[in-house]
Every structure is written in C-alpha cells, then in structure tokens.
Amino acid sequence: MAEQHTPRSLIVSLYGAYGRPSEETPMPVAALIRLLAAVGVDAPSVRSSVSRLKRRGLLLARRTPDGAAGYAVSDDARRLLEDGDRRIYARTEPSLSDGWVLAVFSVPEQERHKRHLLRSRLGRLGFGTAAPGVWIAPARLYEETRHALERLDLSSYVDFFRGEHLGYAATAEAVARWWDLPAIARLHEEFLAGHEPVLAAWRAAPGRVADAYRDYLLTLDSWRRLPYADPVLPAELLPPDWPGRRSAEVFAELHALLWERGAEYVRAVEKDL
C-alpha cells in the first residue's frame, strides 16, 4: 500500500521539524506554501489545511516582524509536539523493569460517545487492551497520556495504576494478546521499504539542501506515526526477527544526515521572501 502524506499531516511535520521558535517568530504564509510545494502540496490545499488547524487551536495567525501574514504554533500544539519529540527521537532501550501503566475507565451510558473517544485516544497513544475497559502500556507513556486526556477533558473518567505483570501467562504471551504485533510489524516493514532506499541513496551521494529538506520531511511524516502505533516493548517480549529496531535505526540515520541540511533550505526560503 502506497504511503499517504496528507497536506495536514505534512504541515504538522513541517512545524514539528522546523517551525517552532515562538509566537513572535511565526512562519510566513508564503514560506509555508513554498515549503509544502516542495513535497507536492498545492497552495489551496495548504490554505485549507491551515484553516482546519487554526480552528482546532493548533495554529495561531500572527504577523512576522516585517508585517507579513504568518502562523505560529499555539501552546497546546507546542506541548503536543514536545510530547511527540520524546517518542519520535527516543533512542533509549526499554526494560522490563520499567513496569507498566494501566488505564481503567468507566463512562456513564449517557456519555458513551466519550467511551469511544477514550478507546480511540488510548489506542493512538500506543496502549494495548488487557481486558474490557482496562488498557495497558509501558509505564514511560504515563505523563504523555495524562497530558492528552487532560487536553480532551477526559481525565475524570480514568484511573491510572503502575505495576508489574505477575502472570499467570508468560509476559511475552500476554503481550501478543494485548497488541496486534503482526500489524505493527507490517508498519515497520512498510517504512523500511519506503525509506531504506532513501538512506542508501544519501550514503552513496549527498544531494542538494532542497533534496535533503524534501526527503527529511517525507521521512519524518512517515515515521512519526510509528512510535504511537508501536509502544516499543522490551526486546525479550518481541519476536526475534522484529523489524522495529531496524526501522528506528534507519530513521535515526536519516535524521542525522538530513535534518540540518533541510534547515538550511528552510532558512533560505524564508530569507528569499
């Protein structure tokens, strides 16, 4: 299945990578349009997606120091991006001794739409299902989950617990029930199929800064979903041929090769306006 880079997702990736200084230094609209054109997004799609992000309170309309129209990330968006950074760029090895966090929720029947929202949000944060109404994740995800549920006004329905798995089934067997590991593995394999060739090309012959920007933004846009779909479990709980380690290595090397050169291109575009 071909990767889908939506305009809205690419805008979020762009701000996450290069557009987060402060409300006083927003990204000019003209720069945003030009930078998104480099990855195949036309101006009407940029404007439409920016409007939706503005309505959600993630982007704020601001003037640049020279008076041009621009957009800056809101405080809520900044926290979302900072929470995301801890996952997207994490290189620490998880350990069984880190423990687990359980999220147990109860939603009144008259508010059952919030039950669906809770399930959806916990799943998108990387939680697995231990039992009906009981969700589990590595303990390190607690703070980010707490922030997310507070932003959505869902915290009053949830209790959190921290602990270790004591059986009866072996933890590796239980993990295979809590998460759909084959589906997560396929996501990693798709990332590798799309981006290992990009890494090989850059190892062989470094390209222009414009190419570095384009390839990095597309790589980041593909990668940043994976640390949410994959809770990044300790190696002893995963199949021996698990592709997640390799995909993390590919992203890390592309980040090291391309991010700074991409930033040069972004600065050149903003300077050229």
Side-chain angles (χ1 to χ4, degrees), residues 15 21-30 47 54 59-73 270 273:
Y15 272 92
S22 71
E23 288 186 28
E24 287 69 43
T25 54
M27 184 174 289
V29 172
R47 294 184 186 280
K54 182 183 174 185
L59 291 181
L60 304 171
R62 295 289 185 267
R63 290 285 172 181
T64 65
D66 61 3
Y71 286 93
V73 294
E270 292 183 329
L273 295 176

Side-chain angles (χ1 to χ4, degrees), residues 216-232:
Y216 182 70
L217 190 66
L218 293 175
T219 297
L220 176 63
D221 196 57
S222 298
W223 171 256
R224 67 183 180 86
R225 300 170 179 82
L226 267 171
Y228 287 91
D230 182 353
V232 189

Side-chain angles (χ1 to χ4, degrees), residues 12 53-60 72-74 76-78 80:
V12 172
L53 291 167
K54 182 183 174 185
R55 285 196 299 272
R56 290 178 56 194
L58 299 177
L59 291 181
L60 304 171
V73 294
S74 67
D76 278 351
R78 190 177 301 278
L80 278 168

Side-chain angles (χ1 to χ4, degrees), residues 144-164:
E144 180 184 356
T145 303
R146 182 171 64 82
H147 293 162
L149 297 186
E150 287 171 357
R151 280 193 299 269
L152 294 169
D153 293 324
L154 295 171
S155 56
S156 61
Y157 303 100
V158 181
D159 286 305
F160 287 108
F161 302 87
R162 193 189 298 266
E164 58 182 311

